[in-house]
Amino acid sequence: MRRFFRAEPNCLIIYNLTERMTAKISGKNLQLLNQWLGTGEINDFLKTLSERGFIDLGINDQEKEELKQIVERCFEVKAPLRSTSIPETMNIELTTRCPLRCPQCYCDLNRGQDIKKEIALAYLEQAAELKIPFINLSGGETLVYPYLMELLEFINEKGLQSAIAISGWGFDFAKLQELKRAGVKEIYVSLNGSTEEINSKSRDGFEEAINALSLLKADGEVDYYINWVARNDNVDDFPNLVNLALSYGVKGIVILELKPDADYNLQASLSREKFLKLAEYLKKHDQGKIRIDVEPCSSPLRAYIYNYYFWNRNTGVDKGCGAGRNAMAVDVNGNLIPCRHLLYPEKFERIDDYWWNSKVLDKLRRFEDEREEPCRSCYLNKNCVPCRAVADKVENNLFSGNNCCPIGRSGN
């Protein structure tokens, strides 16, 4: 069982990396955990943690002492405004190269550049030191990066969780075996439609993606998912995509926010009608059949579907845009950026120095204090931090909300 323990202000976070689950322990429950560490008395709360794979009740005295020290830090550690004390997720842009030319692509593929291996490894070393559990490797096309396997091996050796996004290009049985030997934990296949006709409106490589899903299903040893971008031209097809995912044994579907393309255009953005259609489908979907996750960037959608009569489940630092709140990125030049869609490169030798002292991150964390209409008057505004890349690239305003939400664009 791969676990990570992290001290946050008045809170212990336990990451069960094997099962992709996270537990946040605070208040009375944190006291119960501390009591067990001090006396060895097993209470009902500890039994529940153990059953869910967050705690091993049989750990030795040295491991108990180490965990006790982490718990003690929960009452000492600080965090920047509206964020975790250090990132939970780090994305590394490995390359801007890609053999495909997807209509919705947001990368400048003409540069043809790779990140230097030494730079990537240096930041991964820091990630391990700082206990940043989730490492995403992306492109361009991730599989064209010449040192991919070496980075994956390093991530695995450090006990971190690796994830890669692929189009399916260059993916065959031999490549899958390489990835498995390197310790890859999750593979996300990009697919925007259940048919080539629908997929081709925004992506190339339909056959390559289907081939990748076939190989992953036949192998059955790696967790694999579909990345699906919600667009006005593919929402009607989403139920068919779910059925396709089921037929290929996909573990889950991740719904991604539509980002501006390389020319800063927002193609086929969701209308109010399509937004509501997708939201109603998700509200009724049986997660036991296949898991569907909405990425935090799609905060308006999350806030809408998680809203109930007296409360909203979309809360915490991951309720919306995570840039500077629980996530950051390294661009292909080795600069630190809020996310790979927010191109505000800064030079910092240390991730923690960047996290605490970046003026860009500080500005992003103050969105709630500066938000404009229609966000300011929206009944969901306390549970929504819409994608800042859309606002920044389309409206040249990090605090704007006009084009971030279909409800807002409709004037309602």
Side-chain angles (χ1 to χ4, degrees):
M1 188 74 68
R2 294 160 62 96
R3 299 186 187 92
F4 246 54
F5 299 93
R6 265 186 43 176
E8 290 293 333
N10 300 309
C11 173
L12 176 72
I13 302 183
I14 307 176
Y15 303 96
N16 179 336
L17 300 181
T18 302
E19 300 296 331
R20 294 183 75 246
M21 297 189 302
T22 302
K24 297 181 180 180
I25 305 173
S26 60
K28 183 179 178 180
N29 288 336
L30 191 57
Q31 293 176 10
L32 291 172
L33 174 61
N34 212 17
Q35 178 182 327
W36 169 68
L37 292 170
T39 67
E41 180 183 346
I42 299 175
N43 49 60
D44 290 341
F45 176 66
L46 265 296
K47 290 179 182 178
T48 300
L49 284 182
S50 176
E51 291 169 359
R52 296 182 179 178
F54 290 113
I55 289 287
D56 180 1
L57 296 178
I59 60 176
N60 59 40
D61 291 342
Q62 180 181 344
E63 291 170 325
K64 276 190 176 182
E65 183 59 34
E66 291 173 354
L67 181 53
K68 189 174 182 179
Q69 291 176 10
I70 296 174
V71 172
E72 289 173 355
R73 287 203 297 273
C74 295
F75 303 102
E76 303 170 356
V77 69
K78 305 295 182 183
L81 177 69
R82 299 187 180 110
S83 66
T84 52
S85 61
I86 53 172
E88 291 182 302
T89 301
M90 181 174 75
N91 183 91
I92 301 181
E93 183 185 28
L94 300 181
T95 180
T96 61
R97 295 184 293 132
C98 182
L100 303 181
R101 289 296 181 269
C102 299
Q104 73 175 20
C105 186
Y106 46 78
C107 293
D108 180 4
L109 299 176
N110 297 317
R111 290 184 293 162
Q113 186 177 352
D114 295 339
I115 192 171
K116 292 181 180 178
K117 179 181 69 173
E118 294 75 17
I119 292 176
L121 287 171
Y123 281 122
L124 288 174
E125 183 72 56
Q126 288 188 39
E129 173 195 333
L130 295 169
K131 292 193 173 182
I132 300 174
F134 304 114
I135 308 297
N136 298 330
L137 302 178
S138 62
E141 171 52 60
T142 311
L143 295 184
V144 306
Y145 184 66
Y147 307 110
L148 174 61
M149 303 306 166
E150 190 171 339
L151 296 191
L152 287 170
E153 289 171 0
F154 187 87
I155 294 168
N156 191 48
E157 288 170 2
K158 295 295 182 179
L160 308 179
Q161 186 84 350
S162 61
I164 64 170
I166 65 172
S167 66
W169 179 92
F171 188 80
D172 55 21
F173 178 79
K175 183 64 69 175
L176 175 55
Q177 301 313 306
E178 276 189 83
L179 290 167
K180 287 165 54 180
R181 286 193 295 270
V184 71
K185 299 304 177 186
E186 298 175 341
I187 297 177
Y188 292 80
V189 180
S190 298
L191 189 64
N192 280 0
S194 66
T195 67
E196 185 168 10
E197 178 184 2
I198 296 171
N199 187 72
S200 65
K201 294 177 181 179
S202 53
R203 292 201 57 87
D204 286 344
F206 178 79
E207 292 184 4
E208 287 85 348
I210 295 298
N211 176 65
L213 294 176
S214 299
L215 288 169
L216 288 162
K217 179 182 179 181
D219 181 78
E221 294 185 3
V222 177
D223 289 341
Y224 58 103
Y225 307 80
I226 288 176
N227 276 344
W228 180 83
V229 178
R231 297 167 52 97
N232 217 50
D233 54 22
N234 67 359
V235 165
D236 292 341
D237 177 62
F238 188 66
N240 297 326
L241 185 102
V242 172
N243 290 332
L244 182 146
L246 284 166
S247 70
Y248 283 100
V250 172
K251 190 165 185 178
I253 300 171
V254 182
I255 296 178
L256 305 182
E257 177 79 0
L258 175 65
K259 310 295 195 305
D261 62 23
D263 294 324
Y264 291 9
N265 295 317
L266 197 62
Q267 304 176 9
S269 55
L270 289 181
S271 65
R272 178 188 174 93
E273 176 189 1
K274 299 295 186 184
F275 175 93
L276 294 175
K277 183 173 185 176
L278 178 60
E280 292 307 314
Y281 178 90
L282 294 174
K283 283 185 174 183
K284 297 174 183 177
H285 174 72
D286 180 4
Q287 290 285 63
K289 191 175 181 182
I290 184 173
R291 184 176 180 86
I292 299 178
D293 291 320
V294 180
E295 72 164 347
C297 300
S298 298
S299 193
L301 183 59
R302 286 168 60 103
Y304 186 88
I305 65 175
Y306 294 153
N307 191 52
Y308 302 93
Y309 286 109
F310 300 109
W311 65 293
N312 193 304
R313 191 156 58 89
N314 196 42
T315 60
V317 294
D318 59 351
K319 69 181 178 183
C321 174
R325 297 177 185 237
N326 68 342
M328 46 81 65
V330 182
D331 72 14
V332 74
N333 294 305
N335 300 308
L336 300 184
I337 54 177
C339 89
R340 53 185 318 234
H341 302 279
L342 281 170
L343 308 181
Y344 290 89
E346 296 180 279
K347 286 288 187 184
F348 283 86
E349 292 187 5
R350 295 282 309 173
I351 292 171
D352 44 355
D353 188 18
Y354 171 67
W355 194 248
W356 280 87
N357 297 310
S358 165
K359 293 182 180 179
V360 175
L361 297 189
D362 181 67
K363 186 175 183 180
L364 286 167
R365 292 164 183 153
R366 297 182 185 277
F367 166 72
E368 287 90 332
D369 304 324
E370 305 283 348
R371 73 170 81 218
E372 300 176 354
E373 297 295 353
C375 282
R376 185 186 302 165
S377 301
C378 179
Y379 74 103
L380 295 171
N381 67 14
K382 292 182 179 179
N383 301 93
C384 180
V385 181
C387 176
R388 297 296 84 215
V390 174
D392 184 54
K393 290 186 176 182
V394 176
E395 300 184 29
N396 196 30
N397 185 347
L398 279 175
F399 296 125
S400 171
N402 295 324
N403 278 296
C404 300
C405 173
I407 303 297
R409 282 198 301 270
S410 71
N412 296 304

